[in-house]
Amino acid sequence: MSSFEPKIIGFLCNWCSYEGADSCGRARKEYPSNFVVIRVMCSGRIDPQFILEAFKDGADGVMILGCHPGDCHYKEGNFNALRRYTLLKKMLKQFGIEEDRVKLDWVSASEGDKFVRVVSEMVEKVRVMGPLMLIQKKQLKNHREHRGNL
Amino acid sequence: MSKPKIALYWCASCGGCEESVVDLAEDILQVAEAVDIVFWPVALDFKYEDIEKMADGEITATLINGAIRLDNQEHAAKLLRKKSRLIIAHGSCAHLGGVVGLANFYERRDILNRAYKEVPTVKNPQGILPEIKTKESGRELNLSGFHKTVKTLDQVIEVDYYLPGCPPTPELIKNAILAILNDELPPKGSVLAEKKALCNTCSRRESKPDKVRIKEFKRLYEIQWDATRCFLDQGIICFGPATRGGCEERCIKANMPCRGCFGPTDNVRDQGAKFLSALASIIDSKDEKELEKIADSIPDPAGLFYRYSLASSILRGKIGTV
Ligand code: SF4
Ligand code: FES
């Protein structure tokens, strides 16, 4: 068995998903500690640059959690998130980042259980996939760039 | 008083940026009168040694075009940095990695195999690949090392200013040289072009609705295009909303949509991600299945969004190769 513990960055919208995570905490439910939460006002605020930065800085997976369709406090924010996510997943594949390493889901303020479930599933999925190669690259950072003959 | 010294150099580029200097036409005479060109391998016969002999900072400004992929490019860039007061990244490749930066989607080994073994027009039955040192009839041949990835100029040396574009317009080059000569340069690190996005000055902007909404991305040849109407509004991907202006709309005027060679506007770090955002926000659908289908109508999103900026992007290229 490998001892790999994936690091997952989660961008959670303030009004639904962060509340959902909070309700899970208040109810003393457990969720994997691999999940690092970043609170944003709305899933529509998540610039794809944030996701790329997360991967670059060592995330093995990124989750975007927002209000259910129709429930976004800024009306359309979560649909914008969905549109970006659809394109981003496809594009990341070309960068060698598998589709399953990014996941968008809807978690409402009362869905503490769903929060635990989607986060646990994500962590397990990424654990099976293994670390993103970028991390190895980070460890080799000081290694002088290899060049010359093949 | 002696005239200010200017140098020009090229690295991994197509030669178009050199051409953009020649395109100064009569203005080049004016420039040539005001400055001493001390180094310009494409046009003038000077040697590296001539530069090595100069004092540090002796050259007023050096314009370097092209990205960095070979040892000799890195070496020359570092030498010129030492000898120049100002370094100007000239053109998309030096600025952002440019089209040559797209090579960062491939591993070095695959690139060499493709170029020296697999290309149908290449005959190489022994499968010989270039080496840094080769022994041939008792002599040793030396070639420049081919780096693992393509780098932007500022990933190798400190850059003072950027002249964007593939290639930059002669007007921008002239203005940059005049600004150097008259000591009227903006703050260090500036990109010497418009501050705002291309859409703000585009001749088609009147026809761009406040909210563009499209269901399908189309190619120019697939529709009856209207040469006066905003491309996006016709369903044709145009990067005007996420690209710095100042290009004189050379593509738009030739009825080609913008592909982003002027790079991002000032506060954007990753141009491709910005394109993606801009494009996603105009897709007229909320349905997952339909969105997938629309996304699939873009055959090569990464190559499209990062056409000119892969090497400068957050991820810099495909994982494992960079
Ligand atoms: S999207 Fe393209 S065609 Fe439309 S206004 Fe912007 S630059 Fe011009
Ligand atoms: S406020 Fe929750 S997704 Fe917009």
Side-chain angles (χ1 to χ4, degrees), chain A residues 13 15 41-43 66-67 72-74 78:
Chain A
C13 99
W15 303 106
M41 287 311 276
C42 171
S43 63
C67 309
C72 170
H73 287 53
Y74 308 94
N78 50 0

Side-chain angles (χ1 to χ4, degrees), chain A residues 128-141:
Chain A
V128 172
M129 285 199 283
L132 193 66
M133 287 239 302
L134 263 175
I135 293 179
Q136 292 171 15
K137 176 206 127 200
K138 281 198 89 168
Q139 284 160 355
L140 293 173
K141 214 168 165 187

Side-chain angles (χ1 to χ4, degrees), chain A residues 51-114:
Chain A
I51 297 167
L52 299 178
E53 289 282 2
F55 281 123
K56 189 196 94 205
D57 287 343
D60 301 296
V62 174
M63 271 194 115
I64 302 160
L65 301 179
C67 309
H68 282 265
D71 289 347
C72 170
H73 287 53
Y74 308 94
K75 291 205 173 101
E76 289 271 319
N78 50 0
F79 288 121
N80 255 337
L82 174 66
R83 294 183 187 111
R84 289 187 194 131
Y85 166 72
T86 315
L87 275 179
L88 185 71
K89 257 191 326 183
K90 203 179 161 212
M91 186 194 87
L92 284 179
K93 250 203 311 207
Q94 295 178 279
F95 278 91
I97 299 178
E98 302 93 326
E99 280 195 34
D100 282 346
R101 290 191 192 269
V102 237
K103 174 91 183 130
L104 171 110
D105 219 322
W106 315 125
V107 172
S108 77
S110 59
E111 290 179 320
D113 286 325
K114 181 173 180 188

Side-chain angles (χ1 to χ4, degrees), chain B residues 143-180:
Chain B
L143 275 181
S144 215
F146 183 71
H147 298 186
K148 216 176 148 202
T149 60
V150 176
K151 291 203 174 107
T152 63
L153 187 60
D154 65 5
Q155 288 165 0
V156 175
I157 58 168
E158 199 180 320
V159 168
D160 297 288
Y161 295 99
Y162 301 85
L163 261 174
C166 182
T169 64
E171 188 67 19
L172 287 179
I173 300 172
K174 193 178 86 184
N175 291 346
I177 294 177
L178 289 177
I180 295 165

